[in-house]
Amino acid sequence: SPSCPRVGGACPRRVSSVLNRDVKQFGKKHMFDASEETCWNSDQGTCQWVTLDFPRTVKVSQLHIQFQGGFSSRLCTLEGCRAGEELVKISDLYPEDINAMQISFAVFQVEETVLDKLKITFEKSTDFFGRIVVYHLGVLGERL
């Protein structure tokens, strides 16, 4: 909707890991390329995460995450801050892992928060080895 544009697309970002360090096939850029065929696939290990640094201050109101079933997170912790400040916790989100064979799409209303940086930590992977697979990550809100 026009009142709630995507704000997360072009910002520099970091991820905790990439499966087999194969950035070409599984890198972070695939969360933002709007392709159904590509994804970010983390390596194994607990608490994978993504950070977004927005080029200008944003007010975040919604988060869209599309996981591969079986490689999602039962708990996502959101933290954010203004430029030069320390991250503070915003909220906990609880995605549902609908089916191990399908892609689960979760839309979260976020308590409107003004920030320059956002970190999403995937605390409880549904995968035994802690891997997370994200096809799509959308941050909606407004640029200030």
Side-chain angles (χ1 to χ4, degrees), residues 3-20:
S3 62
C4 201
R6 190 171 302 282
V7 294
C11 45
R13 46 203 169 258
R14 294 174 54 217
V15 291
S16 46
S17 65
V18 174
L19 185 67
N20 302 327

mmCIF file of all heavy atoms in Angstrom, residues 3-20:
data_model
loop_
_atom_site.group_PDB
_atom_site.id
_atom_site.type_symbol
_atom_site.label_atom_id
_atom_site.label_comp_id
_atom_site.label_asym_id
_atom_site.label_seq_id
_atom_site.Cartn_x
_atom_site.Cartn_y
_atom_site.Cartn_z
ATOM 1 N N SER A 3 0.743 3.922 1.715
ATOM 2 C CA SER A 3 1.037 4.469 3.032
ATOM 3 C C SER A 3 2.100 3.637 3.753
ATOM 4 O O SER A 3 2.626 4.052 4.764
ATOM 5 C CB SER A 3 -0.237 4.488 3.881
ATOM 6 O OG SER A 3 -0.696 3.168 4.062
ATOM 7 N N CYS A 4 2.400 2.458 3.220
ATOM 8 C CA CYS A 4 3.309 1.555 3.917
ATOM 9 C C CYS A 4 4.316 0.964 2.933
ATOM 10 O O CYS A 4 4.284 -0.220 2.644
ATOM 11 C CB CYS A 4 2.491 0.459 4.572
ATOM 12 S SG CYS A 4 3.325 -0.363 5.918
ATOM 13 N N PRO A 5 5.189 1.811 2.368
ATOM 14 C CA PRO A 5 6.095 1.312 1.342
ATOM 15 C C PRO A 5 7.193 0.430 1.924
ATOM 16 O O PRO A 5 7.462 0.450 3.116
ATOM 17 C CB PRO A 5 6.689 2.586 0.746
ATOM 18 C CG PRO A 5 6.646 3.560 1.863
ATOM 19 C CD PRO A 5 5.414 3.213 2.664
ATOM 20 N N ARG A 6 7.820 -0.322 1.048
ATOM 21 C CA ARG A 6 8.951 -1.162 1.424
ATOM 22 C C ARG A 6 10.144 -0.251 1.691
ATOM 23 O O ARG A 6 10.458 0.603 0.892
ATOM 24 C CB ARG A 6 9.231 -2.071 0.232
ATOM 25 C CG ARG A 6 10.200 -3.165 0.474
ATOM 26 C CD ARG A 6 10.188 -4.092 -0.730
ATOM 27 N NE ARG A 6 8.869 -4.626 -0.992
ATOM 28 C CZ ARG A 6 8.323 -5.621 -0.314
ATOM 29 N NH1 ARG A 6 8.976 -6.184 0.670
ATOM 30 N NH2 ARG A 6 7.120 -6.060 -0.609
ATOM 31 N N VAL A 7 10.809 -0.462 2.822
ATOM 32 C CA VAL A 7 11.951 0.391 3.143
ATOM 33 C C VAL A 7 13.251 -0.406 3.245
ATOM 34 O O VAL A 7 14.304 0.165 3.423
ATOM 35 C CB VAL A 7 11.737 1.176 4.468
ATOM 36 C CG1 VAL A 7 10.599 2.167 4.310
ATOM 37 C CG2 VAL A 7 11.507 0.248 5.638
ATOM 38 N N GLY A 8 13.171 -1.718 3.117
ATOM 39 C CA GLY A 8 14.345 -2.537 3.424
ATOM 40 C C GLY A 8 15.182 -2.978 2.252
ATOM 41 O O GLY A 8 16.174 -3.661 2.423
ATOM 42 N N GLY A 9 14.805 -2.643 1.026
ATOM 43 C CA GLY A 9 15.428 -3.257 -0.136
ATOM 44 C C GLY A 9 16.890 -2.969 -0.349
ATOM 45 O O GLY A 9 17.688 -3.879 -0.469
ATOM 46 N N ALA A 10 17.261 -1.713 -0.394
ATOM 47 C CA ALA A 10 18.582 -1.372 -0.918
ATOM 48 C C ALA A 10 19.618 -1.100 0.162
ATOM 49 O O ALA A 10 20.672 -0.566 -0.117
ATOM 50 C CB ALA A 10 18.457 -0.152 -1.828
ATOM 51 N N CYS A 11 19.328 -1.446 1.408
ATOM 52 C CA CYS A 11 20.259 -1.063 2.464
ATOM 53 C C CYS A 11 21.361 -2.109 2.635
ATOM 54 O O CYS A 11 21.116 -3.286 2.467
ATOM 55 C CB CYS A 11 19.518 -0.865 3.773
ATOM 56 S SG CYS A 11 18.342 -2.141 4.142
ATOM 57 N N PRO A 12 22.557 -1.658 2.993
ATOM 58 C CA PRO A 12 23.632 -2.604 3.273
ATOM 59 C C PRO A 12 23.193 -3.517 4.410
ATOM 60 O O PRO A 12 22.475 -3.085 5.307
ATOM 61 C CB PRO A 12 24.803 -1.723 3.723
ATOM 62 C CG PRO A 12 24.435 -0.347 3.348
ATOM 63 C CD PRO A 12 22.952 -0.280 3.233
ATOM 64 N N ARG A 13 23.628 -4.741 4.368
ATOM 65 C CA ARG A 13 23.161 -5.672 5.371
ATOM 66 C C ARG A 13 24.210 -6.746 5.626
ATOM 67 O O ARG A 13 25.075 -7.001 4.808
ATOM 68 C CB ARG A 13 21.854 -6.313 4.941
ATOM 69 C CG ARG A 13 21.888 -6.777 3.510
ATOM 70 C CD ARG A 13 20.473 -6.872 2.939
ATOM 71 N NE ARG A 13 20.524 -7.058 1.512
ATOM 72 C CZ ARG A 13 20.309 -6.095 0.620
ATOM 73 N NH1 ARG A 13 20.047 -4.877 1.023
ATOM 74 N NH2 ARG A 13 20.377 -6.341 -0.649
ATOM 75 N N ARG A 14 24.100 -7.371 6.775
ATOM 76 C CA ARG A 14 25.012 -8.458 7.138
ATOM 77 C C ARG A 14 24.185 -9.635 7.610
ATOM 78 O O ARG A 14 23.088 -9.453 8.133
ATOM 79 C CB ARG A 14 25.959 -8.003 8.246
ATOM 80 C CG ARG A 14 26.920 -6.908 7.805
ATOM 81 C CD ARG A 14 27.726 -6.384 8.979
ATOM 82 N NE ARG A 14 28.407 -7.478 9.665
ATOM 83 C CZ ARG A 14 28.578 -7.554 10.995
ATOM 84 N NH1 ARG A 14 28.103 -6.616 11.777
ATOM 85 N NH2 ARG A 14 29.216 -8.562 11.531
ATOM 86 N N VAL A 15 24.736 -10.823 7.431
ATOM 87 C CA VAL A 15 24.094 -12.028 7.934
ATOM 88 C C VAL A 15 25.118 -12.814 8.742
ATOM 89 O O VAL A 15 26.322 -12.657 8.566
ATOM 90 C CB VAL A 15 23.529 -12.910 6.790
ATOM 91 C CG1 VAL A 15 22.345 -12.226 6.119
ATOM 92 C CG2 VAL A 15 24.595 -13.272 5.769
ATOM 93 N N SER A 16 24.601 -13.659 9.631
ATOM 94 C CA SER A 16 25.475 -14.420 10.522
ATOM 95 C C SER A 16 26.331 -15.417 9.763
ATOM 96 O O SER A 16 27.493 -15.648 10.114
ATOM 97 C CB SER A 16 24.626 -15.152 11.560
ATOM 98 O OG SER A 16 23.525 -15.790 10.923
ATOM 99 N N SER A 17 25.788 -16.032 8.707
ATOM 100 C CA SER A 17 26.528 -17.059 7.974
ATOM 101 C C SER A 17 25.824 -17.359 6.656
ATOM 102 O O SER A 17 24.678 -16.970 6.451
ATOM 103 C CB SER A 17 26.617 -18.349 8.800
ATOM 104 O OG SER A 17 25.320 -18.913 8.978
ATOM 105 N N VAL A 18 26.535 -18.049 5.769
ATOM 106 C CA VAL A 18 25.975 -18.506 4.492
ATOM 107 C C VAL A 18 26.385 -19.961 4.314
ATOM 108 O O VAL A 18 27.546 -20.315 4.543
ATOM 109 C CB VAL A 18 26.493 -17.658 3.308
ATOM 110 C CG1 VAL A 18 26.023 -18.229 1.974
ATOM 111 C CG2 VAL A 18 26.049 -16.204 3.447
ATOM 112 N N LEU A 19 25.433 -20.803 3.919
ATOM 113 C CA LEU A 19 25.695 -22.232 3.784
ATOM 114 C C LEU A 19 26.910 -22.486 2.896
ATOM 115 O O LEU A 19 26.978 -21.994 1.762
ATOM 116 C CB LEU A 19 24.464 -22.933 3.195
ATOM 117 C CG LEU A 19 24.547 -24.464 3.104
ATOM 118 C CD1 LEU A 19 24.580 -25.084 4.500
ATOM 119 C CD2 LEU A 19 23.389 -25.020 2.310
ATOM 120 N N ASN A 20 27.865 -23.237 3.400
ATOM 121 C CA ASN A 20 29.096 -23.591 2.676
ATOM 122 C C ASN A 20 29.831 -22.363 2.123
ATOM 123 O O ASN A 20 30.592 -22.483 1.171
ATOM 124 C CB ASN A 20 28.795 -24.550 1.518
ATOM 125 C CG ASN A 20 28.121 -25.813 2.007
ATOM 126 O OD1 ASN A 20 28.387 -26.272 3.109
ATOM 127 N ND2 ASN A 20 27.239 -26.363 1.205
#
